[in-house]
């Protein structure tokens, strides 16, 4: 007996209305641990290179720990804010840019009150692209000039595999939360304090903290698709630019 097809309209609604939620997180409603566990079980069904499943998930609910993390994030935000606002140039006057800025600022001010913080991690450190390529070049040094191995660059592949094996799971986690009435967003502002965060949470130095995902029920569920350039405007067929 074949499995019935998905409801395409409902699936597309989930995919197109799962937004980065920062200002509409319900800071007063507790999030049951079983909901987080359910969403993580969905997440770990995501693709993973060579089936390594080298992701790890750290779930934080202790108020004192969240307060310390929020303090570090506010420190990072101070520097990040000045950098992005300077580099934005005229775009800083764009209404959408202003809304995004205000939304990010609001999260830094309320982060410790968010019920759950999740830090997705990957076992190992990010690949050093230049070092990997140089090691391969040395390995190929005694090969004849016609050997196709001279054209290969492994560093970029390793980096793609490293992050490509965690972000699909992160997105699946966010989709699973959304389908259960919760919201989330991705923030990387704790990463500049990775060592300090590692000491605070007992994360080994050989483990990479990819990002942080604040999780809460949402104030309302009436999220809409975002304003985006159409895929038609951003898609090429067969050759770049065509």
């Amino acid at each position: 007996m074949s499995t019935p097809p998905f409801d395409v309209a409902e699936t597309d609604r989930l995919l197109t209305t799962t937004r980065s939620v920062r200002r509409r997180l319900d800071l007063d409603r507790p999030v049951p641990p079983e909901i987080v566990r359910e969403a993580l079980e969905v997440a770990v069904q995501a693709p993973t290179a060579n089936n390594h499943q080298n992701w790890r998930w750290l779930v934080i609910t202790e108020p004192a720990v969240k307060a310390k993390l929020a303090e570090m994030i506010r420190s990072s935000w101070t520097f990040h804010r000045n950098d992005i606002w300077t580099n934005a140039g005229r775009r800083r006057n764009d209404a959408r840019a202003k809304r995004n800025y205000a939304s990010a600022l609001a999260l830094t001010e309320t982060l410790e009150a968010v019920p759950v913080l999740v830090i997705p991690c990957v076992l190992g450190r990010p690949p050093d692209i230049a070092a990997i390529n140089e090691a391969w070049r040395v390995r190929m040094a005694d090969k004849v000039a016609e050997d196709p191995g001279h054209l290969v660059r492994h560093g970029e592949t390793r980096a793609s595999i490293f992050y490509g094996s965690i972000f699909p799971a992160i997105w699946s986690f966010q989709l699973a939360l959304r389908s259960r009435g919760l919201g989330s967003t991705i923030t990387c502002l704790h990463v500049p304090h990775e060592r300090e965060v590692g000491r605070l949470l007992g994360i080994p130095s050989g483990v990479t903290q990819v990002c942080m995902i604040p999780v809460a029920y949402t104030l309302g569920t009436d999220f809409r698709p975002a304003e985006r350039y159409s895929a038609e405007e951003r898609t090429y067929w067969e050759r770049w630019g065509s």
Side-chain angles (χ1 to χ4, degrees):
M1 183 176 178
S2 61
T3 303
F6 293 103
D7 182 316
V8 174
E10 190 65 2
T11 302
D12 286 355
R13 186 173 76 88
L14 173 64
L15 291 168
T16 59
T17 64
T18 300
R19 308 256 55 89
S20 290
V21 185
R22 304 182 186 95
R23 287 189 284 189
R24 291 178 58 183
L25 296 173
D26 190 336
L27 306 179
D28 299 318
R29 183 178 175 184
V31 174
E34 57 268 24
I35 294 290
V36 178
R37 292 190 183 101
E38 285 179 13
L40 287 172
E41 289 296 343
V42 173
V44 298
Q45 290 297 317
T48 168
N50 301 314
N51 199 32
H52 280 163
Q53 303 180 59
N54 58 345
W55 43 50
R56 297 293 184 272
W57 309 84
L58 184 53
V59 181
I60 301 133
T61 61
E62 293 178 11
V65 176
K66 290 190 294 179
K68 290 179 181 178
L69 292 171
E71 198 175 309
M72 293 183 223
I73 281 177
R74 280 192 280 271
S75 170
S76 293
W77 169 252
T78 300
F79 297 100
H80 179 66
R81 172 185 62 191
N82 295 337
D83 185 49
I84 61 171
W85 216 233
T86 299
N87 293 335
R90 286 179 295 178
R91 286 187 293 111
R92 74 185 68 169
N93 298 317
D94 180 79
R96 283 176 294 184
K98 289 181 177 180
R99 285 197 302 270
N100 190 63
Y101 176 89
S103 177
L105 174 61
L107 181 64
T108 67
E109 294 172 340
T110 60
L111 190 76
E112 62 264 47
V114 176
V116 178
L117 303 176
V118 178
I119 300 180
C121 301
V122 176
L123 300 183
R125 300 301 301 169
D128 184 330
I129 294 175
I132 292 169
N133 286 341
E134 175 60 18
W136 181 254
R137 187 193 66 78
V138 171
R139 182 176 172 181
M140 293 297 299
D142 60 348
K143 304 292 184 181
V144 297
E146 294 77 16
D147 193 305
H150 289 293
L151 302 176
V152 171
R153 298 291 181 271
H154 286 298
E156 290 80 359
T157 301
R158 301 272 179 83
S160 181
I161 288 172
F162 187 85
Y163 288 107
S165 288
I166 183 64
F167 273 105
I170 290 171
W171 179 232
S172 289
F173 178 58
Q174 293 186 274
L175 291 171
L177 291 170
R178 164 72 169 144
S179 71
R180 289 161 173 77
L182 289 88
S184 65
T185 188
I186 293 174
T187 176
C188 300
L189 288 175
H190 83 288
V191 175
H193 297 278
E194 186 183 33
R195 291 184 180 179
E196 190 177 353
V197 172
R199 287 193 293 268
L200 175 66
L201 302 176
I203 302 173
S205 59
V207 172
T208 299
Q209 303 168 39
V210 177
C211 62
M212 179 185 290
I213 307 173
V215 175
Y217 282 99
T218 56
L219 300 171
T221 58
D222 55 331
F223 296 96
R224 298 173 296 178
E227 293 181 26
R228 294 280 195 261
Y229 291 106
S230 72
E232 186 69 24
E233 295 178 78
R234 292 293 187 266
T235 304
Y236 306 131
W237 292 76
E238 314 303 348
R239 295 289 186 277
W240 182 268
S242 61

